[in-house]
Amino acid sequence: MILKKTSPKILFLIVSSSVVFLLFYAALFYYINKTEKEAYQNAVELFESKISTLLLLESKPILTAINNDTNWDEFVDFVATKNKAWYNETINNELKIYGADYLGVYDANKQFIMRTPTPVIKTLDFVPKQAMEYLDKIGIGKFYLRIPEGIVEVTGATIHASDDPFKNKTKTSGYFFAARLINGKFIKNLENITSSEIKILGAKEVVSEQRHVVSAVYPLRDSQNKLIGRFLFERKFEVYFENTLNILYAIIVVFILYLIMSIFYTQKLVYRPLYLVRKALERGNKSAINELKKTKGEFSYIGNLFEENNNQKLALIKAKIKAEEGDLLKASFLANLSHEIRTPMNAINGFTELILNTELTEKERIEYLNVIQNNGKNLVSIIDDLIEMSKIDSNQISPNFSEINLESCIVELYKTVKVTIPKSKPVKIKLIKSTLPAEYNIITDEIKLKQVIINLLTNAIKYTDEGLVTFSYEIDEKEGLIHFTIQDTGSGIDEDHHKHVFDRFKRVENDKSIKVGGLGLGLSISKAYIEILGGAISLESEVGVGSTFYFSIPLKYAKVEHIVVKSIREKESVKSENKVILIAEDDNINFLLFQKMMQNKGYEIIRAHDGQEAVDICINNSNIDLVLMDIKMPVMNGFEAIEQIRPIRPQLPIIAQTAYSSSEDKVKIMKAGFDDYITKPLNRERLFELIDKF
């Protein structure tokens, strides 16, 4: 067997068989296409003729009826006398006879006299004078008009005495019109008559040809012959061709013959290489692999793949060892997680039991409640970090870029973090601004940038017992970057742990980390956020000296106008009394908590158990001053509720209250139109701050 000739011969077989198949298929396609086009064209012509005939027959009764009525002497007298009683006794009752939605009478001067409408048409007078001039020429006719209620089919005739049946001997006494609104009922009736599906098209809308549908277009023209729309009639088109089977039989016969030839040559030209492949797969036979490598074409490539596969097995063994190490790290992380969750829960449960079952002084009770509150906050922080890391791992986090004033943002963060430092802790925080101020606003994800800075500053303060925490930033226009630096004089990190500081399942274990607690996910989350923003983070640290974190993000200016750094004013707390507050909350315990928090404020509180009830109350009660809207509710959620409230009461302050606390959730809430939000567990100070704000 000569292996070097295998590849060209197989290629020849594939190409030649493909060419033969394509030739037969082309002949078949040409024949079917030609025949089908002829059948389709005939079907279209027949369908158009049938539609025209059916529409003519459908209009015949109303044309006959209106012709009879307008050659009536009493009708001529009515136009002159405008006798309403006669009209109500005769013409007013003919709506059903005409099958119309509107009857209207005009005098010889083309002035409106009287109408008989159905509820679907509310327009009083819509027939133009041009239409009456059109009837002056032809006596009776049909045309279409566009009115506020939609397109109407109007059948009209001039009014003459009975001795002028052809409306050409006497002067026109007036005009009588019967109109039908082209609505669902009209279309449905027309579909039943024509056994087709009907669509209403615009005057310039293009009708695309469909292979299995025959269509006919009927123009809708006004009295001036101007096109205002079209009816598109469609019906399924299915044609079967007996001759196709004969061609398919011929193709099958040829294919079978070709298949026999292909099997014969495949046995001869491919069997040996495949046998070698099987040996290599079953036993990893090195001699078979070497022989495969010596062949030509694809089988030689397969031999190389087998050799690479053996090398990859060694790599997989190493990867398995690394994965097992990762499992151990996860197990350690879960053990630490269990400890960190149980620690605050132990304090919460323990001190709660003491408050319930022990006689305490007021000072002790307040002390225990403070312990419960602080541990509850720690527990929420742990849960938030876990959820955020889970979203990062599952690629559910994406940047939400917006335009921000960098310097105002940083000054605000600095003041926010500064007030969180306990007065008893001898630590100062210092802000060093960029020597080159930002010339314009910048484009970045404000929420993620703030979260990174807060995480790093909070860590620096947490691990610094006394001394200084420095926060600085620098605009680097040459490199197109913004450099941030957070430096502290804390306990520092041993150099051996530097490479693991940002790892997700590793935590530097020492006396200080055990004392401050937490899962150590803050730096991992910060690193992920910085990478999402397109930046990088690094660390310098020495035990006993302190740590310095450096990170950079891209500098992208929003070049609209020069910015002026505005001072951040502290929020003023203003007490507001006698507000009517709607609380949309389905959970009874959460609503009770709201009531207890606000019971001494003198607010009038109204409750909605679901989103639909909240919408109804806001629409029907104009005294509502503020809405606290839960996001997750039955019947209708908070997002759906605000969509219905905003168009009706655009100035009503609506605050979202939610258990979703990630940055993406906050962005979604603000985009939905909420004025602000408060997260659960509820913070009493934050609640009253928002109530006073709005």
Side-chain angles (χ1 to χ4, degrees):
M1 185 181 295
I2 302 173
L3 296 177
K4 65 180 181 180
K5 295 183 180 180
T6 302
S7 182
K9 288 184 178 180
I10 294 176
L11 182 61
F12 171 77
L13 286 172
I14 295 173
V15 171
S16 60
S17 62
S18 299
V19 169
V20 172
F21 176 80
L22 288 174
L23 288 174
F24 274 95
Y25 182 80
L28 175 63
F29 180 81
Y30 174 78
Y31 178 81
I32 294 175
N33 191 49
K34 181 180 178 182
T35 307
E36 186 176 6
K37 282 184 178 179
E38 292 175 355
Y40 180 83
Q41 189 61 38
N42 292 335
V44 169
E45 293 174 0
L46 181 62
F47 185 59
E48 288 177 344
S49 175
K50 182 178 179 181
I51 291 299
S52 298
T53 303
L54 289 173
L55 289 177
L56 182 62
L57 290 173
E58 196 273 340
S59 300
K60 198 77 173 178
I62 194 170
L63 286 168
T64 302
I66 203 168
N67 186 55
N68 291 336
D69 281 352
T70 53
N71 281 105
W72 193 1
D73 293 333
E74 292 182 3
F75 211 159
V76 173
D77 294 337
F78 164 74
V79 174
T81 62
K82 300 179 177 55
N83 185 344
K84 187 174 182 181
W86 179 87
Y87 179 90
N88 289 335
E89 290 176 0
T90 54
I91 304 302
N92 199 42
N93 297 319
E94 291 190 353
L95 271 175
K96 290 185 178 179
I97 296 175
Y98 284 94
D101 299 305
Y102 176 96
L103 299 177
V105 183
Y106 292 74
D107 61 20
N109 296 321
K110 301 178 178 58
Q111 299 299 315
F112 173 77
I113 300 176
M114 196 167 294
R115 65 165 186 161
T116 302
T118 63
V120 298
I121 295 182
K122 301 185 182 302
T123 305
L124 177 66
D125 173 15
F126 56 81
V127 180
K129 288 183 172 58
Q130 294 89 338
M132 301 177 206
E133 293 170 357
Y134 165 72
L135 292 179
D136 287 335
K137 297 175 183 178
I138 64 172
I140 183 169
K142 183 178 73 172
F143 52 90
Y144 296 85
L145 292 174
R146 188 178 294 278
I147 65 173
E149 290 82 359
I151 297 176
V152 291
E153 178 196 74
V154 182
T155 304
T158 54
I159 301 172
H160 295 267
S162 59
D163 60 351
D164 186 12
F166 297 104
K167 305 180 184 295
N168 55 8
K169 294 180 180 179
T170 59
K171 189 176 181 181
T172 299
S173 299
Y175 306 86
F176 180 48
F177 298 93
R180 295 188 292 179
L181 180 65
I182 300 177
N183 54 13
K185 180 180 177 182
F186 183 95
I187 297 295
K188 188 68 176 178
N189 180 57
L190 211 53
E191 285 179 341
N192 292 333
I193 293 172
T194 59
S195 300
S196 61
E197 292 183 3
I198 302 175
K199 297 177 183 176
I200 299 178
L201 304 179
K204 297 182 179 180
E205 192 171 347
V206 178
V207 180
S208 59
E209 185 175 316
Q210 301 181 58
R211 184 179 178 85
H212 298 293
V213 175
V214 291
S215 60
V217 176
Y218 181 83
L220 307 179
R221 300 183 182 275
D222 62 14
S223 59
Q224 304 301 305
N225 203 34
K226 184 184 294 183
L227 189 65
I228 64 171
R230 293 175 292 172
F231 280 141
L232 174 63
F233 297 81
E234 293 181 334
R235 182 183 293 173
K236 290 184 178 180
F237 172 72
E238 295 180 353
V239 178
Y240 301 93
F241 301 93
E242 294 179 357
N243 293 333
T244 303
L245 295 175
N246 296 328
I247 297 176
L248 289 176
Y249 290 145
I251 291 175
I252 291 173
V253 171
V254 174
F255 175 76
I256 291 173
L257 293 174
Y258 227 94
L259 181 62
I260 293 171
M261 293 175 61
S262 298
I263 292 173
F264 172 77
Y265 279 102
T266 301
Q267 286 265 353
K268 183 178 179 181
L269 302 175
V270 182
Y271 177 80
R272 178 61 184 173
L274 288 179
Y275 171 75
L276 295 174
V277 170
R278 187 178 67 186
K279 286 180 67 178
L281 285 171
E282 289 177 350
R283 306 169 191 172
N285 192 298
K286 289 186 178 181
S287 62
I289 294 173
N290 290 331
E291 190 175 346
L292 270 176
K293 289 176 64 179
K294 292 176 183 177
T295 60
K296 301 295 182 179
E298 292 298 320
F299 287 110
S300 175
Y301 176 66
I302 291 172
N304 291 325
L305 289 177
F306 279 125
E307 189 174 55
E308 290 177 10
N309 183 59
N310 288 337
N311 296 331
Q312 288 174 356
K313 284 181 180 179
L314 296 174
L316 286 173
I317 292 172
K318 294 179 181 178
K320 180 183 177 184
I321 294 172
K322 188 174 181 180
E324 289 173 348
E325 290 178 355
D327 287 340
L328 291 174
L329 290 173
K330 288 182 180 179
S332 175
F333 171 78
L334 290 173
N336 183 43
L337 171 63
S338 176
H339 173 267
E340 292 299 332
I341 290 179
R342 287 177 180 276
T343 299
M345 284 303 301
N346 180 59
I348 292 170
N349 291 338
F351 280 98
T352 301
E353 185 176 355
L354 286 174
I355 292 173
L356 292 173
N357 301 318
T358 309
E359 292 185 5
L360 303 171
T361 64
E362 183 64 18
K363 182 178 179 181
E364 288 174 328
R365 188 180 68 83
I366 292 173
E367 180 183 354
Y368 293 175
L369 289 173
N370 285 331
V371 171
I372 293 171
Q373 184 182 44
N374 291 334
N375 280 275
K377 290 179 180 178
N378 291 340
L379 189 58
V380 170
S381 176
I382 290 170
I383 294 171
D384 286 344
D385 284 350
L386 285 172
I387 293 172
E388 201 68 12
M389 185 54 68
S390 175
K391 286 188 175 182
I392 291 170
D393 286 337
S394 58
N395 294 320
Q396 295 182 22
I397 303 293
S398 58
N400 183 45
F401 293 112
S402 62
E403 180 181 335
I404 68 168
N405 184 321
L406 177 63
E407 298 196 21
S408 295
C409 174
I410 288 175
V411 170
E412 179 184 4
L413 278 176
Y414 166 71
K415 291 188 176 183
T416 301
V417 175
K418 184 178 180 180
V419 298
T420 63
I421 302 174
K423 294 181 179 179
S424 59
K425 191 170 187 177
V427 175
K428 293 184 178 180
I429 183 170
K430 181 180 179 182
L431 172 64
I432 302 175
K433 297 183 179 180
S434 174
T435 55
L436 177 65
E439 187 176 0
Y440 304 94
N441 287 339
I442 68 164
I443 301 296
T444 190
D445 188 321
E446 181 179 7
I447 293 177
K448 290 182 177 60
L449 177 61
K450 284 183 175 181
Q451 189 63 50
V452 170
I453 295 172
I454 289 173
N455 283 351
L456 295 176
L457 286 176
T458 303
N459 265 5
I461 295 168
K462 188 189 299 182
Y463 287 96
T464 303
D465 291 329
E466 59 179 337
L468 179 66
V469 172
T470 304
F471 170 36
S472 62
Y473 68 99
E474 191 68 36
I475 304 293
D476 185 352
E477 292 190 344
K478 183 178 180 182
E479 297 293 331
L481 295 171
I482 308 173
H483 302 291
F484 295 89
T485 304
I486 290 89
Q487 185 176 20
D488 64 63
T489 58
S491 56
I493 302 171
D494 189 275
E495 189 174 354
D496 294 338
H497 297 305
H498 284 192
K499 60 182 178 180
H500 300 309
V501 163
F502 299 105
D503 290 352
R504 298 182 182 182
F505 298 116
K506 291 186 179 180
R507 175 184 167 190
V508 178
E509 296 291 349
N510 54 38
D511 294 341
K512 187 67 178 177
S513 64
I514 293 172
K515 180 180 178 181
V516 299
L519 296 176
L521 289 177
L523 291 178
S524 301
I525 294 172
S526 298
K527 181 175 183 291
Y529 278 177
I530 291 168
E531 290 173 350
I532 289 172
L533 296 178
I537 187 170
S538 60
L539 161 72
E540 289 181 3
S541 184
E542 184 178 345
V543 175
V545 177
S547 303
T548 305
F549 286 86
Y550 306 94
F551 76 92
S552 303
I553 62 171
L555 172 64
K556 296 180 182 178
Y557 280 131
K559 295 189 177 182
V560 179
E561 58 181 4
H562 289 274
I563 62 173
V564 178
V565 179
K566 300 178 182 179
S567 61
I568 306 299
R569 295 184 298 175
E570 300 295 335
K571 294 179 180 178
E572 298 178 0
S573 178
V574 180
K575 291 186 177 181
S576 301
E577 302 293 341
N578 302 320
K579 280 189 175 182
V580 179
I581 300 176
L582 172 63
I583 300 176
E585 175 60 70
D586 62 304
D587 187 86
N588 293 330
I589 300 301
N590 284 336
F591 178 71
L592 178 61
L593 180 58
F594 273 114
Q595 280 186 311
K596 295 301 182 183
M597 283 184 172
M598 295 189 285
Q599 64 183 357
N600 296 324
K601 288 289 184 176
Y603 303 134
E604 181 183 342
I605 297 174
I606 300 174
R607 182 184 183 184
H609 294 81
D610 55 62
Q612 182 61 61
E613 188 177 351
V615 172
D616 295 339
I617 293 173
C618 289
I619 293 173
N620 298 319
N621 190 342
S622 60
N623 295 323
I624 301 295
D625 297 311
L626 178 69
V627 180
L628 294 171
M629 181 78 72
D630 189 17
I631 293 298
K632 188 176 181 182
M633 290 185 292
V635 183
M636 181 187 293
N637 64 36
F639 291 118
E640 295 168 334
I642 196 172
E643 280 186 7
Q644 297 195 22
I645 295 172
R646 272 286 175 252
I648 299 170
R649 298 196 60 182
Q651 304 301 323
L652 177 64
I654 304 177
I655 298 171
Q657 39 137 336
T658 177
Y660 304 116
S661 59
S662 71
S663 56
E664 277 65 32
D665 295 321
K666 294 172 183 176
V667 170
K668 183 180 178 182
I669 287 170
M670 299 311 290
K671 283 185 176 180
F674 288 95
D675 296 283
D676 215 316
Y677 63 91
I678 183 170
T679 57
K680 298 175 182 177
L682 295 173
N683 182 294
R684 189 170 182 271
E685 293 180 359
R686 171 68 173 162
L687 175 62
F688 289 133
E689 177 186 325
L690 289 174
I691 293 175
D692 292 341
K693 178 180 177 182
F694 295 103

